[in-house]
Amino acid sequence: MLLRAIIIDDEPKNIRLLKAMLAEFLPSVQVVGNASNIEDGVVLAKSLKPNLVFLDIRISESDEGFRFFTYFNQPTDFEVVFVTAYEEFIRRAFNNTPAIGYLLKPVDPSELTQVIFKAKQKILNQVSKLMDAENYSQYNDIMYCYIQEGLIKMKLVDNKDKISSRTKLEDFESVPNFFRISRQFIVNLNFIKKVIDIDENGEKTRGAVALLFNDEKLNVSYSRKPSFVKTYEKLSLSY
């Protein structure tokens, strides 16, 4: 899933740093715009229709990010993540706004990954309500399925493993956005953080690695790599 994001922050350096961090660690988040004040941020949110807004709490000495919410009906069509250097604002942020999370400056990559993962889960739940696919919603919490000692198991978003009532891994291939990457694994494309197919020398590898949001790495077989990459990119562009 590709998330469209905007950043609202009055300091250009902070915008550049967050963009660079997203590009390096979370390429499935595409920054489509940025603003240095609330009014311009509102215009961007209404025109670009992002999935995610990174909002500085202290926009300037005389303005606060909390005012951003007054321009929108609730619930909004996007999720908001507060970014702040002032820890004392956090309680007020959660008590008075529907923000999904917060990040303290300087932003830590692992905390950024966690809040994006949380946002994706919420967006997926919203998407599933709009889809007509039979029983789609029951698969939202499955990151991947695999074979172990003759059993079909599922790795859930809480990192627990659950034995499936299904007897064949093939039974999951018909689930929307599930893709078989090898004989052993079928992965939910929505929980992939990055696809790695370049080695340390910058050369393309025969197979690929699917890096998940819990930082697990699943190997993609050489024979399935072309169709996997094509399917993953198509899904990312559809959001």
Side-chain angles (χ1 to χ4, degrees), residues 23 50 113 151-152 156 209 215 220 236:
T113 297
L151 297 174
I152 307 302
L156 307 181
V209 172
D215 287 329
V220 181
S236 297

Side-chain angles (χ1 to χ4, degrees), residues 32-101:
V32 295
N34 57 265
S36 60
N37 58 68
I38 295 297
E39 283 71 25
D40 288 347
V42 169
V43 172
L44 285 182
K46 290 184 175 182
S47 61
L48 299 179
K49 300 188 182 304
N51 308 107
L52 195 60
V53 175
F54 292 99
L55 177 61
D56 188 13
I57 291 183
R58 194 72 177 268
I59 298 296
S60 66
E61 291 296 325
S62 59
D63 203 1
E64 294 179 345
F66 301 110
R67 193 165 61 85
F68 176 78
F69 293 92
T70 64
Y71 291 88
F72 299 91
N73 295 324
Q74 303 299 325
T76 60
D77 295 329
F78 50 80
E79 302 299 332
V80 173
V81 175
F82 277 119
V83 186
T84 181
Y86 302 93
E87 196 165 358
E88 62 269 22
F89 283 116
I90 293 172
R91 180 180 300 231
R92 183 179 167 197
F94 280 107
N95 287 341
N96 297 286
T97 75
I100 196 172

Side-chain angles (χ1 to χ4, degrees), residues 3 16 21 26 36 62 72 83 89 97 120 127 135 147-148 151 161 165 171 175 186 192 194 198 209 228-229 235 239:
L3 294 185
R16 290 195 301 270
M21 193 171 290
L26 294 155
S36 60
S62 59
F72 299 91
V83 186
F89 283 116
T97 75
K120 279 198 172 189
V127 170
N135 297 325
I147 302 174
Q148 186 179 64
L151 297 174
D161 294 274
S165 60
D171 292 340
V175 178
I186 290 180
I192 295 176
K194 183 189 296 185
I198 297 176
V209 172
F228 164 70
V229 172
L235 176 66
Y239 284 88

Side-chain angles (χ1 to χ4, degrees), residues 6 9 21 33 36 68 84 115 117 127 135 139-140 142 153 169 187 203-204 221 230 237:
I6 64 172
D9 195 310
M21 193 171 290
S36 60
F68 176 78
T84 181
V115 79
F117 181 60
V127 170
N135 297 325
Y139 300 105
N140 280 350
I142 302 174
K153 295 186 177 182
L169 197 60
V187 66
E203 301 292 332
K204 284 279 188 179
S221 68
K230 182 177 180 181
L237 291 173

